Amino acid sequence: MAVKLSPMAVWGVLKELRSAAADVRPLVVTGALASQLAKELARDGKPGAVRAGEPINEAAALVHVLGGEPTEEDERILRAAKRAKAPTIVVQTGTKVFDVPYVLPTDVVACPPGSGFPIEEIANALAARLGDRGTSLAARLPVLREAVCEALIERFSRQNGLAAVAIFVPGADFPVLTLNQLRMVLRLAAAHGVEVDQQRLPEILATFGAALGLRAAARQLLGAIPVAGWLVKGGIAYVGTRALGEAGNRYFAAQKDAVRSGS
């Protein structure tokens, strides 16, 4: 059975990406040493993508640096971020660990004295909190790109693994999984700042179409395996989607490098 995608479904994914690309809100950094951390996060990024200081209601996400135990001012900022529904990461400096209001413990990144800001950990925490919304920031901030792309690949791989297990009708999962893979590939392109329009889309589909078709065929054959076939299908959907995502990530990184070098 051939994998069929509705043209309207593909068009819907492109519209979704255009809407995400239109979000040019900055990453806002507040608290102790906000200016210093903002400079590190903005490295090689587009002007205005990171801002030190408020207002928070204009933020795509917030990184707040604590200089010690949370003060009333810290609580005010974190409360404002919660009200604005801005994904928030707290960087806690010092040797003591304090309870931080309005954020989950998993959204607190430790920064031991003398070690410098843990940029990679901050990027990973932001990517986890932002989800799909991280695409626009990743396109403007290279320091976040690797973490955001990895989070996208893992999320779509898990979704496809679960979908392959949950959909029992043979062949019914093909359009669902393929559309998810397409959405992942196009979001990876957006995260790298590679624009995909109606003219560029056929090129992208041609590049990754063979991989989509082979994985779909493998899942179809496994539908005939008794007993644990559904479990194997879930594993193949996960691994196949992850392999496709990693290939796409390398492809768009190379495309971006080629544009920079003028080749």
Side-chain angles (χ1 to χ4, degrees), residues 45-97:
K46 293 188 177 180
V50 179
R51 185 178 68 212
E54 303 182 61
I56 293 166
N57 60 357
E58 298 176 0
L62 173 72
V63 177
H64 184 70
V65 186
L66 286 179
E69 186 174 5
T71 64
E72 289 185 4
E73 176 64 7
D74 292 321
E75 291 193 26
R76 181 192 68 77
I77 291 172
L78 295 173
R79 183 169 58 249
K82 186 174 180 66
R83 287 176 177 170
K85 297 182 179 179
T88 301
I89 298 300
V90 168
V91 179
Q92 193 169 58
T93 63
T95 56
K96 292 185 179 180
V97 177

Side-chain angles (χ1 to χ4, degrees), residues 16 20 127 130-136 148 152 155-156 183 187:
E16 178 185 309
L130 285 163
D132 285 355
R133 289 175 293 177
T135 303
S136 175
V148 167
L152 286 170
R155 188 174 75 79
F156 281 109
R183 181 176 283 111
R187 281 201 170 273

Side-chain angles (χ1 to χ4, degrees), residues 27-31 33-35 37-38 41 50-54 61-65:
L27 174 64
V28 171
V29 184
T30 55
L33 302 174
S35 296
L37 178 55
L41 291 171
V50 179
R51 185 178 68 212
E54 303 182 61
L62 173 72
V63 177
H64 184 70
V65 186

Side-chain angles (χ1 to χ4, degrees), residues 1-6 9 160 167 171-182 216 219:
M1 180 184 298
V3 179
K4 294 182 180 179
L5 278 183
S6 162
N160 273 4
I167 300 174
D173 60 343
F174 292 175
V176 175
L177 303 187
T178 305
L179 187 62
N180 237 5
Q181 290 174 331
L182 177 62
R219 286 193 297 272

Side-chain angles (χ1 to χ4, degrees), residues 27-227:
L27 174 64
V28 171
V29 184
T30 55
L33 302 174
S35 296
Q36 180 181 333
L37 178 55
K39 286 180 182 178
E40 294 190 41
L41 291 171
R43 190 183 310 123
D44 298 325
K46 293 188 177 180
V50 179
R51 185 178 68 212
E54 303 182 61
I56 293 166
N57 60 357
E58 298 176 0
L62 173 72
V63 177
H64 184 70
V65 186
L66 286 179
E69 186 174 5
T71 64
E72 289 185 4
E73 176 64 7
D74 292 321
E75 291 193 26
R76 181 192 68 77
I77 291 172
L78 295 173
R79 183 169 58 249
K82 186 174 180 66
R83 287 176 177 170
K85 297 182 179 179
T88 301
I89 298 300
V90 168
V91 179
Q92 193 169 58
T93 63
T95 56
K96 292 185 179 180
V97 177
F98 299 98
D99 290 331
V100 182
Y102 304 108
V103 297
L104 296 172
T106 51
D107 295 331
V108 178
V109 176
C111 179
S115 61
F117 286 114
I119 299 300
E120 184 175 344
E121 290 181 41
I122 294 171
N124 288 335
L126 276 169
R129 286 288 285 117
L130 285 163
D132 285 355
R133 289 175 293 177
T135 303
S136 175
L137 276 177
R140 292 174 285 148
L141 294 173
V143 75
L144 299 182
R145 192 165 296 148
E146 182 178 350
V148 167
C149 289
E150 172 55 32
L152 286 170
I153 293 168
E154 178 61 20
R155 188 174 75 79
F156 281 109
S157 298
R158 285 181 180 274
Q159 282 184 356
N160 273 4
L162 291 172
V165 171
I167 300 174
F168 296 102
V169 179
D173 60 343
F174 292 175
V176 175
L177 303 187
T178 305
L179 187 62
N180 237 5
Q181 290 174 331
L182 177 62
R183 181 176 283 111
M184 174 188 67
V185 167
L186 295 182
R187 281 201 170 273
L188 290 171
H192 283 281
V194 176
E195 185 177 354
V196 178
D197 53 20
Q198 286 175 288
Q199 287 70 42
R200 190 86 187 273
L201 183 59
E203 172 194 337
I204 301 300
L205 290 176
T207 301
F208 296 101
L212 294 173
L214 288 172
R215 290 182 179 91
R219 286 193 297 272
Q220 185 180 17
L221 290 172
L222 282 166
I225 297 178
V227 186

